[in-house]
Amino acid sequence: QVQLVESGGGLVQAGGSLRLSCTASGRTANTYRMGWFRQAPGKEREFVSSITWSAGSTYYAVSVKGRFTISRDNAKNTVYLQMNSLKPEDTAVYYCASQRLGVGIYEYWGQGTQVTISS
């Protein structure tokens, strides 16, 4: 099992920045990829960004590309999401998730952290 704990959410004005953190614990040795997802009220959960644990390859949703940056600190088992130029439409609960090597889905999820952007 892998446990994921997110932090860093909050309320900021449009144009501001936030940095989310997600720390993994437990059986993390086989982690292949970690990702960030978000779910706004009344909407489906959507992909935001991901990073492969070994190579550090990154992927972004079109809606956040150029504004958000994902990174990881392998020694701390932590992935970050730096969010800049935030917009009201970025308001959502942000979830961290991890994917094991050889498994095609994100198996483990954090509890989520609320991000609210005021206009």
Side-chain angles (χ1 to χ4, degrees), residues 23-44:
T23 298
S25 61
R27 300 172 69 95
T28 61
N30 290 331
T31 298
Y32 168 66
R33 189 195 317 264
M34 292 189 70
W36 288 98
F37 294 75
R38 67 186 182 187
Q39 187 167 19
K43 294 189 175 182
E44 299 273 323

Side-chain angles (χ1 to χ4, degrees), residues 32-97:
Y32 168 66
R33 189 195 317 264
M34 292 189 70
W36 288 98
F37 294 75
R38 67 186 182 187
Q39 187 167 19
K43 294 189 175 182
E44 299 273 323
R45 185 165 56 193
E46 64 175 0
F47 169 79
V48 175
S49 182
S50 68
I51 186 166
T52 57
W53 205 243
S54 178
S57 300
T58 59
Y59 305 87
Y60 296 94
V62 171
S63 59
V64 306
K65 199 166 189 177
R67 300 188 298 121
F68 292 9
T69 302
I70 192 170
S71 61
R72 90 267 192 238
D73 184 330
N74 296 57
K76 294 182 178 180
N77 278 336
T78 299
V79 63
Y80 304 98
L81 186 68
Q82 177 66 44
M83 306 185 295
N84 298 329
S85 302
L86 284 161
K87 305 174 181 180
E89 50 263 44
D90 294 318
T91 295
V93 177
Y94 283 70
Y95 297 92
C96 172

